[in-house]
Each structure stands twice: as structure tokens, then as C-alpha cells.
Amino acid sequence: MNKPHRLLPLMMTLVWVILLGLFFAQTEIQIEGSSGWATSLPTWRIEKHWLLDMFWGGRAMTGYHAWVFPFIAMFFHFPFFFLHQWTWKLQARALASIMLFWITEDFLWFVMNPAFGLARFNPVDASWHKHWLLYAPTDYWIFGVMAALLFWFSFSGNDRASNRNFMR
């Protein structure tokens, strides 16, 4: 597969994941309103725990997030079950898509939320993002790099079957 043809599936995947992130950001804006990270939702919350610091960026674990995060992961893995196909490259692509989805969704939640906007995308107003680097949560940088590497791996080489089967 030559490079221009390899870019088309990558570009289509990126556009689709970003579009999914946009739609889910709007969904969460309708659900949460001006209260980010489910602070006003009728759900349970665990605010402090050492495992949250290690795996959750110090953010609270809520009943809402306990259900929505696995749901989204299952959503991106649905093609494996629907098409009865799995490869390491497709798994890498699914994981990269999940990471890009959450970065996109979270950022667009701020940009499109009438109560926030880009001006309030900062550590003070987005207090549930505990760690920031270069004007963005560190999660964005870490998962952005990881997603780029996973996308690169998933679209690299001559594995035409992975690229073709994923697009069916």
C-alpha cells in the first residue's frame, strides 16, 4: 500500500473519532451544564483515594464516570465483535481512538459549553483537572503522544488486511 492510500484510512478514522468526541461533548454539556465532572449529578462520588491519584489523575470517581468510561471503551471495541476480527494493529487503533476521543470530547466540552468557553479552560476553572502543562491538562499530552504512537503502529507496514477490514 503506498503512502497516499495509507493516509486515507488514517484521516477517515481521525475525522470520525473527532466527530464522535464532538457529539459526546454536546451530550455531556446537556447532562452536566455548567457543573463539570458530574459535580451536580445525582451520583456517588469518591473524592480522595490513592488509586485515584495513580490512575485517575487525582480526579474524583463518580458513578457516572464508572459507567460511561467502560461504555465508550466497549463502543470502540464493537467492530471486533461485530466483524469477528481482531489483530494487534486493530487493538492499537481502538486504544488510540479511545484516547483521542476523550481528549477531543473533554476539550470541546469547554469550548462549546456556554458556561465555560475557551477563556475558562484553565486550572482554576477546570479544577477537576489537577495537573497542567503548557496550558492543557497533562492527560492531553500523555494520551496525545500515546495515541499518536498507537495510530502510527496501527497504520504502519504492509498489513493491508487490518486497514481494509477496519474500514468495512
Side-chain angles (χ1 to χ4, degrees):
M1 179 184 279
N2 59 29
K3 283 194 178 214
H5 289 94
R6 191 176 306 148
L7 284 178
L8 182 61
L10 171 61
M11 296 309 293
M12 290 174 62
T13 301
L14 295 176
V15 167
W16 191 254
V17 171
I18 290 168
L19 188 62
L20 288 169
L22 181 145
F23 272 75
F24 198 73
Q26 277 295 334
T27 302
E28 280 206 327
I29 289 166
Q30 302 308 311
I31 292 169
E32 295 177 322
S34 63
S35 302
W37 207 255
T39 54
S40 293
L41 296 184
T43 185
W44 55 263
R45 297 179 73 79
I46 301 172
E47 293 288 345
K48 300 281 184 197
H49 193 278
W50 66 272
L51 288 173
L52 296 176
D53 294 332
M54 186 179 294
F55 296 110
W56 211 240
R59 289 182 293 274
M61 170 56 84
T62 71
Y64 172 76
H65 292 98
W67 285 99
V68 81
F69 275 81
F71 171 77
I72 295 299
M74 291 170 64
F75 179 82
F76 278 101
H77 284 86
F78 181 67
F80 301 152
F81 295 94
F82 186 75
L83 298 173
H84 308 280
Q85 296 176 14
W86 182 90
T87 67
W88 283 110
K89 287 190 176 210
L90 291 177
Q91 181 62 49
R93 195 169 305 167
L95 293 174
S97 294
I98 292 166
M99 292 176 197
L100 176 60
F101 170 84
W102 283 120
I103 293 168
T104 302
E105 183 278 333
D106 190 72
F107 181 69
L108 292 177
W109 184 93
F110 286 97
V111 171
M112 296 185 305
N113 192 325
F116 278 85
L118 196 53
R120 293 190 63 204
F121 182 66
N122 60 63
V124 173
D125 293 313
S127 59
W128 52 93
H129 285 294
K130 306 289 186 200
H131 309 287
W132 290 69
L133 176 68
L134 300 174
Y135 306 105
T138 54
D139 298 354
Y140 287 22
W141 299 107
I142 293 167
F143 291 122
V145 168
M146 289 174 60
L149 291 171
L150 289 168
F151 275 128
W152 172 81
F153 168 72
S154 77
F155 284 101
S156 68
N158 293 327
D159 192 0
R160 288 184 180 175
S162 287
N163 291 334
R164 186 178 61 248
N165 288 338
F166 190 75
M167 298 307 295
R168 277 190 194 159

